[in-house]
Amino acid sequence: MRSQRGAVSAWLLSSLLILATILTVGAFFVLKWRPEVASEHGRGVDRMITYIIFAAGFIFVVGHLVLSTFLVKFGGKGTAAYKPMTHKTEMLFTIGPVVFMVAVSELGVLAIGGPVWNQVYTHKPDDLVVDITAKQYEWISRYPGKDGKFGRKRPDLFDDQENPLGLDRKDPDAKDDIVVRGAVYLPVGKGAWFNIQSWDVLHSFNVPVLRAKQDAVPGLTTHTRIVPTAVGRYEISCAEICGPGHYRMRGFVNVKSEADFAKWLKSQVGWFE
Amino acid sequence: MIRVSALSTAPLLLVLALLGSGCGGSDGASGGGNKPAGGPGGDAGQPTGPDMKIDAGTAGSISGAVKFEGTPPTERVNSAEADAYCHGKHPDGIKSESSVIGAGGELANVFVWIKKGITGKFPLPSEPVTLRQTGCRYEPHVLGLRNGQELLIRNEDETMHNVHSLPKANEEFNFAQTKKGDEAKKKLSAQEVMVKFKCDAHGWMSAWVGVVNHPYFAVTGADGKFELKNVPPGEYEVEAWHEKFGKQQQALKVETKGDAKLSFTFKEN
Amino acid sequence: MLMRIEAWGREEREPVELPESVRAETWQTLTYLMIAGGIMLFTTFSASYLVRRQSADWAPARLPDLVWVNLAVVGAASVTMELARRGGASARRWLGSTIALGVLFVAGQAIAWRQLAAQGVFLTSSPHASFFYMLTAVHAAHVAAGLAVLLAALRRAGNGQLGLCAAWWHFVGAAWAWVVMLLTFF
Amino acid sequence: MAIAQAVETGKAGHQAHGRDHGHPAGFIRKYIFSTDHKVIGVQYLLMAMLMSVVGLGLSLWFRVQLAWPGKAAMTPEQYVAIVTMHGTIMIFFVVSLALSSGLGNFSIPLQVGARDMAYPFLNMLSFWIIVPASAIMILSFFVEGGAAAGGWTAYPPLSALSGFGKVPRGSPGSGMGQTLWLLAMALFIVSFTMGGLNYVATILNLRARGMSLMRMPLTVWTYFVAALLGLLSFPALTAAAIMLLLDRHLGTSFFLPSGLVVSGQQAANVGGTPLLFQHLFWFLGHPEVYVLVLPAIGIAFDVIAAFSRRPPHGYKTSVWALLIIAFLGMIVWGHHMFTSGMNPFLGKYFSIATLLITAPFAVLGVNLLASLWRARIRFTTSMLFALGLISAVGTGGIGGLFLATATADLHFHDTYFVVGHFHLMIGVVTMTGTFAGIYYWFPKMFGRHMNETLGKLHFWGTFIGAFALFVIQHFQGFGGMTRRYFEYSADYVQPALALNPAVTWFAFLAVGAQIPFFFNFFWSMFKGKKAEANPWEATTLEWTTATPVPHGNWERLPVVSGKPYGYAEGANGDAHRMQNAEA
């Protein structure tokens, strides 16, 4: 009687596992499972992800198939009997997975991931430099203006409504700095190097469509590099909990054609001009 | 708060003590935290003294106007792009309200109140004062209310606002109103001129609330004028406050049934 | 439920005593684990110190000279502890002097705090001072635990079972030497 | 090891023990302030069950908000606090208590053949420190500003900006709630550290005669490794908590940097480094994952061995894999911080080092699977949970590949992919392991079986619900859906958002499936089918003593004569040889 009930359980569980495997794998074909990508390194990130999907998917599928097969074969009626494996087989079953896992995962991170990672953190000399400042719960971007220099940000001059970056009116570098609340403007196809800072707590500059994510840490300037590849308007969402307003700490990256970007930049006046 | 800070260090020391109890026997180490007591603000709360009854037969009033001299500062325009609703209301950006000045220099949004000379208790009005959030602004931008009087805060926008007060003497509050029609009632229990309100979600939004022990306060309108009615005769010091141009005081005397005139002039700073 | 687990407690009258030798082994495990934990704790603090000192505001303050005297005291306490551990007739006397030196050490640390405070250097004056106050306090807690243990062991002194107490005590002394070196030279 | 003496004492100490001589000890000493590891183990389980009602209740509450925004009667301030408290309560006050403290306390002395823990009084103290810790954690909801709301990781500056003294206030939950959170966590660390000391001392010094290290059941091995890991990594959190408290209450600047402006108010702090806290936190936090996951895997090994009637495959390699995981686990904490702003070079190192851990985990996974090879599987509820654990370890484990690769983490960091992944690991793996253990040892605990029908109901609901719930969350993470959001509005997240109601329904299924378990647990205590001493025909030492287990566990301490898993093919099918069988 026990064996019969066991057979039911074996079939149930193994069909469930196979169903779960099919559904999980099938979901990749049915669901729109990632946002479109609009940056150069973003394609690399996606390449990396695709590689892991295949590697991990292989383990996932094989593992579940083996498990389900074993359940049916060795569950229920007692047909099989235990005989210890030989030492050699046992070592094979140990060294095999070790070599496989290390090779697959390290190859991926070194061959595909590494170069992309470097791309994100290498400042190229002709990059457009954009300064991003985060505060509860806003993104403020800044461009250096005509002189190409950023003015110093002074905490003592901070005023939410009047001077959210704490710029000094008397500082000639700061005078023509262009400050934009809640939006970033970028020319398409050109590298942009971001200096990211925060006034108060941790935030994270997260633009999923550009595959960009970099924490804003008070007291520290962090960097990331983006080369947008498509004109469009992409949402920034904060990705590091920063308080109750975390969920609505939004902003937009407006990627424009080079001409449109130049036009936009020209139309801007400095914060103290 | 102080007690807990001391308490919370104690268990940590206890961990260490326990980690250290080598061969039996342990020691209850006690932690000590010290911190100056008392917050800012000093003596808050309702005024004491007898209930005031104003004799309508003798009471006078104070009235006047506030002006600004010099070149008005340029008004800052903030992009509202991050919020679709606000962006829709203000596609060209939102002007800051920090200095609203008429063509003839009439200065609006000045809070005028009697700073010295009033004693005693006044009955509290039962109806609340309303602070609206509408079109991604606070309305009114400057307002006054009695301490202990109810402040009704309402969201009239189809977006989330976050009401964050930054008081020195009163209790701070910081809460979200996620949808249109959300209301909250708050009380500020200590006299404080002024308490800044801001919206953490929309950096350009601010409001200023004056909390006063007595009913003698007013906010100048677009014409720069104000009036304090029903003032018992006596000598007073009146203060005018502006968020950008600072404070000014003037002393004056209100005669029986008289109307004392006052004018303030703010300059560019 | 109470009925079900009735049997567990049925014969409860005396705690089940372990044989002396096993008990000694568990104490040994416990002590060495606690020392390992203590080492991890001070390592963490040291790592934090080395990270924190890279900030622009870092300004090492001169520690009161007394900390060196205290180091000598705690060193001497280690020596007397070692003598006590060797056992013999004078073990109790050596253990007594170790405790006295330990108390002297804690008192010395308290005086060093007061000296520093008299110079106007408080917990929040500088990051270096923050570390000094915090590390001395944390260390003092370890010393206090050690003293409690030694007091408890005073009764049993002389029968040569002070090895673990000595291990902890040497750890505490070494920790202070390390803290002083860290605060002075780094 | 001085086991011989222990046996002697066992004889001496227990010769007078008999029913007639038993003095019924007082109720309080027996069930409340008991020093018996079995009672304490059950106390921990009950405490964990109580806290799970709170923790799971909170999760359903915010799941409703996520699936149907606005329907859950919740404000954003409450949301962040609820999410924070759900994480803290579930990790430290449910999983840790049930698995590490509860089952660990019950099983370790029984499996190593000891009369009790090495320090029974300390053991009791550990439990009674958890009681106020739990109370403080829950009470923190009701203080000014509400409960802690900086995430269970409590990253400063948010968690350090307390609003006390000269320190500005970072958010409503950063005030008193965060202080109480730290206080409760401090108590938890004290308790957990004392528990860990007890485990290691018991396992190292109190093993029965003949039980060499390589004859310990794998459950004991995993508890041993986990306890050592905990003891070596918790000091980092202790140090971080001390510095955080000083920053919060006494105005130091360990973690608070220069130039902070919070709500327009300038802070006086100078020079602190917020990243330092993250390093310290994850130096604990990552090993903590293994502290929880490894014992679950260990229990699964024991359960699978008993119900597949064969020794687990690769005992030795499993032990080595455990030790390597423990070592590597201590040096890879930075993979939680790829986007935190730490040096990109370190990111690469942590990525490469973390991926090495996949190797020993693969060995464990293969060993679990291979343990079913040519087995004679008995599908008890306990076994079903252990089988579910294999699936969850595999599924959760490969999720780790994505997150450990720094480049891919640029997309996944702080999305629901992370949420799905760690829930599979420290939620599903740990809880399937715990349930496998509870159904397995329940007859030993209470002398009665749990109801199998209810048990199967419990398993199917839990497994289907949890698997679907968390795998779907992986897909939401692919879609870029960020964590800890009260509501969503972005265009790119809309496809992921459409899956939210399904996730919530599966959450209801998974949580609802615990109702039959709760009922089963208490009902079976009194009404369950009576169990004999070794109902599963298992071979480890806990099954060699009477049921219910007498005080002191054995009349005469067992002497171990062989390996823990003496399952083999016999003349008439199954055969098994107890670990203390005479050679």
Side-chain angles (χ1 to χ4, degrees), chain D residues 212-227:
Chain D
S212 63
L213 284 177
M214 286 315 236
R215 280 178 175 179
M216 295 196 306
L218 282 165
T219 305
V220 177
W221 260 113
T222 50
Y223 276 117
F224 179 57
V225 171

Side-chain angles (χ1 to χ4, degrees), chain D residues 290-308:
Chain D
Y290 298 141
V291 168
L292 298 180
V293 168
L294 293 183
I297 294 178
I299 291 173
F301 268 117
D302 271 25
V303 167
I304 287 174
F307 295 117
S308 61

Side-chain angles (χ1 to χ4, degrees), chain D residues 49 68 105 259 284 438:
Chain D
M49 286 164 86
W68 305 286
N105 256 307
L284 155 83
I438 290 177

Side-chain angles (χ1 to χ4, degrees), chain C residues 1-19 21-23 25-30 33-34 36-38 40-41 44-45 47-49 51-52 55-57 123-124 127 130-131 134 138, chain D residues 2 5-6 9 17-19 21 23 25 27 29-31 36 38-39 42 115 118-119 197 200 204-206 228 231-232 235-236 239 243 246 250-254 270-272 276 280 283 445-446 448 525-526 549 551:
Chain C
M1 177 188 84
L2 301 181
M3 278 162 55
R4 290 291 92 230
I5 54 177
E6 180 87 8
W8 301 353
R10 174 158 294 143
E11 290 151 310
E12 179 148 21
R13 61 172 89 96
E14 298 292 316
V16 187
E17 284 299 335
L18 286 173
S21 58
V22 177
R23 182 46 85 203
E25 282 175 18
T26 65
W27 279 122
Q28 198 173 348
T29 309
L30 200 69
L33 280 177
M34 281 190 300
M40 284 308 288
L41 186 70
T44 312
F45 278 124
S48 309
Y49 180 90
V51 170
R52 183 66 179 81
S55 291
D57 67 317
L123 179 69
T124 54
S130 303
F131 271 105
M134 180 175 68
V138 168
Chain D
Q5 290 93 326
T9 318
H17 284 187
R19 278 181 155 262
H21 300 279
H23 302 234
F27 176 83
R29 276 214 31 217
K30 230 193 290 181
Y31 302 116
D36 188 320
K38 303 182 285 297
V39 178
V42 172
R115 297 210 176 277
Y119 296 96
L197 290 171
V200 176
L204 274 187
N205 305 123
L206 265 53
L228 280 179
L231 286 172
L232 292 181
M243 290 190 271
L246 291 177
L250 299 178
T252 54
S253 304
F254 292 109
V270 186
L276 175 59
L280 298 182
F283 188 81
M445 282 180 191
F446 302 107
R448 286 174 189 266
M525 266 183 206
F526 303 102
V549 186
H551 181 65

Side-chain angles (χ1 to χ4, degrees), chain C residues 132-146:
Chain C
F132 174 78
Y133 281 105
M134 180 175 68
L135 286 176
T136 42
V138 168
H139 181 258
H142 284 74
V143 177

Side-chain angles (χ1 to χ4, degrees), chain A residues 189-255:
Chain A
K190 195 163 180 253
W193 178 252
F194 287 86
N195 301 323
I196 303 170
Q197 294 179 328
S198 165
W199 275 129
D200 38 34
V201 300
L202 295 177
H203 302 277
S204 191
F205 181 73
N206 169 31
V207 194
V209 179
L210 300 177
R211 304 287 188 271
K213 192 172 284 155
Q214 186 60 59
D215 285 11
V217 184
L220 197 71
T221 306
T222 58
H223 304 281
T224 193
R225 184 173 185 270
I226 302 175
V227 187
T229 53
V231 171
R233 190 160 183 266
Y234 311 121
E235 185 156 339
I236 311 167
S237 352
C238 182
E240 195 69 72
I241 189 166
C242 56
H246 174 50
Y247 74 95
R248 55 101 45 244
M249 184 163 166
R250 289 203 291 272
F252 288 92
V253 177
N254 297 300
V255 178

Side-chain angles (χ1 to χ4, degrees), chain C residues 20-171:
Chain C
E20 267 305 307
S21 58
V22 177
R23 182 46 85 203
E25 282 175 18
T26 65
W27 279 122
Q28 198 173 348
T29 309
L30 200 69
T31 310
Y32 289 135
L33 280 177
M34 281 190 300
I35 291 175
I39 289 173
M40 284 308 288
L41 186 70
F42 281 100
T43 309
T44 312
F45 278 124
S46 308
S48 309
Y49 180 90
L50 295 176
V51 170
R52 183 66 179 81
R53 75 181 293 283
Q54 288 162 12
S55 291
D57 67 317
W58 188 262
R62 205 181 126 77
L63 300 182
D65 291 333
L66 193 58
V67 298
W68 295 101
V69 178
N70 291 341
L71 181 60
V73 170
V74 90
S78 261
V79 173
T80 52
M81 186 72 229
E82 199 53 29
L83 291 169
R85 192 183 66 85
R86 299 253 160 91
S90 51
R92 180 172 305 220
R93 229 179 317 129
W94 286 121
L95 192 59
S97 19
T98 309
I99 293 171
L101 284 169
V103 173
L104 190 66
F105 171 78
V106 176
Q109 296 287 67
I111 296 169
W113 274 30
R114 297 192 56 162
Q115 285 183 353
L116 212 55
Q119 290 169 30
V121 179
F122 300 104
L123 179 69
T124 54
S125 300
S126 78
H128 189 258
S130 303
F131 271 105
F132 174 78
Y133 281 105
M134 180 175 68
L135 286 176
T136 42
V138 168
H139 181 258
H142 284 74
V143 177
L147 281 174
V149 169
L150 292 189
L151 275 172
L154 201 53
R155 260 183 304 133
R156 293 190 286 114
N159 55 5
Q161 288 189 338
L162 291 171
L164 297 177
C165 300
W168 180 260
W169 193 252
H170 294 325
F171 157 67

